[in-house]
Amino acid sequence: DAKTTQPNSMESNEEEPVHLPCNHSTISGTDYIHWYRQLPSQGPEYVIHGLTSNVNNRMASLAIAEDRKSSTLILHRATLRDAAVYYCILRSLIKAAGNKLTFGGGTRVLVKP
Amino acid sequence: DADVTQTPRNRITKTGKRIMLECSQTKGHDRMYWYRQDPGLGLRLIYYSFDVKDINKGEISDGYSVSRQAQAKFSLSLESAIPNQTALYFCATSDKPPDVNEKLFFGSGTQLSVL
């Protein structure tokens, strides 16, 4: 399975943008890029996903490199409630059955007031 | 109220004891899953069910069993708990076929400690 690499932690100031990088150099053409986040004492929650084009939703934006070997989750204005561990995950179109989601170490985001 | 509820939130038990973790959901989803999370590691899939009476093994099913009694309920059992089953356990649900657009909804977790 293709692997993702994320920084262990990042800090941000409140109301500033946060750019969370994810490297996936072995991504295949059938792999979608998903992001989940895990707030303290909570289960993971879905954030966003995409294949090739950049994606936006109410929570965040996902910027995908042209070669798809990396992507960046963008939180436009970080709030204290955005402090969490953010996971970048690849989901194979071929292997989607069974939900073998592989959550790596993720990036712990600290938001300073 | 939470859409996916896990009980208990915390449990301490002894080696060899039988223990059951419960999961119930009000989302009306057909698909339910059990994961475990270990410190510094990601989530690993234990068992999953796509409908009542449908049970499938995940990547780490040894030592565990499950029961899908109704659409809304999915329980995880440890027949004879051992210390390396100490972990944070999550139940999750989803409503779409398992394709790349599927989103999982997780409960708040059960912290299990086996002494």
Side-chain angles (χ1 to χ4, degrees):
Chain A
D1 290 336
K3 184 179 176 181
T4 62
T5 303
Q6 301 176 251
N8 289 333
S9 63
M10 293 187 70
E11 288 190 0
S12 175
N13 294 318
E14 196 174 11
E15 299 197 0
E16 290 185 355
V18 182
H19 291 240
L20 300 176
C22 181
N23 288 318
H24 28 78
S25 59
T26 60
I27 192 170
S28 74
T30 55
D31 286 338
Y32 279 65
I33 303 157
H34 286 243
W35 285 81
Y36 279 73
R37 72 178 185 180
Q38 188 171 13
L39 301 170
S41 301
Q42 298 291 324
E45 65 175 342
Y46 168 84
V47 178
I48 200 167
H49 77 284
L51 180 63
T52 57
S53 301
N54 294 344
V55 184
N56 299 293
N57 67 20
R58 64 175 180 82
M59 291 182 70
S61 295
L62 176 59
I64 301 173
E66 193 169 342
D67 64 5
R68 299 207 329 122
K69 293 184 177 182
S70 66
S71 60
T72 302
L73 180 72
I74 303 166
L75 308 178
H76 294 287
R77 291 184 64 193
T79 69
L80 297 179
R81 293 186 68 236
D82 291 321
V85 178
Y86 288 78
Y87 297 97
C88 171
I89 302 157
L90 300 183
R91 291 208 68 197
S92 169
L93 178 64
I94 297 172
K95 299 178 183 178
N99 269 308
K100 193 176 177 179
L101 282 180
T102 302
F103 288 71
T107 297
R108 183 172 298 278
V109 172
L110 173 64
V111 180
K112 297 181 288 185
Chain B
D1 290 339
D3 293 322
V4 183
T5 302
Q6 293 183 232
T7 55
R9 288 299 306 273
N10 292 280
R11 181 72 183 267
I12 300 174
T13 191
K14 295 182 178 179
T15 297
K17 294 291 187 180
R18 183 179 188 276
I19 185 168
M20 180 180 290
L21 308 183
E22 305 273 7
C23 178
S24 62
Q25 51 115 347
T26 58
K27 300 185 78 66
H29 290 171
D30 288 327
R31 295 166 175 79
M32 299 186 74
Y33 310 86
W34 276 104
Y35 287 87
R36 67 176 278 176
Q37 184 175 36
D38 297 279
L41 301 178
L43 275 72
R44 292 180 290 170
L45 182 63
I46 306 172
Y47 270 98
Y48 59 101
S49 169
F50 286 169
D51 203 347
V52 177
K53 299 189 187 302
D54 175 69
I55 302 294
N56 303 281
K57 292 183 177 181
E59 55 185 307
I60 53 163
S61 59
D62 288 348
Y64 301 94
S65 63
V66 291
S67 175
R68 184 79 185 272
Q69 307 95 318
Q71 186 202 39
K73 296 184 183 297
F74 193 35
S75 59
L76 176 71
S77 294
L78 286 68
E79 296 301 326
S80 180
I82 56 177
N84 74 4
Q85 291 178 311
T86 293
L88 183 55
Y89 290 84
F90 287 104
C91 174
T93 74
S94 69
D95 67 344
K96 294 188 184 299
D99 66 14
V100 288
N101 295 306
E102 181 179 17
K103 302 172 188 174
L104 294 183
F105 297 85
F106 286 83
S108 296
T110 295
Q111 178 63 56
L112 175 66
S113 297
V114 183
L115 305 179

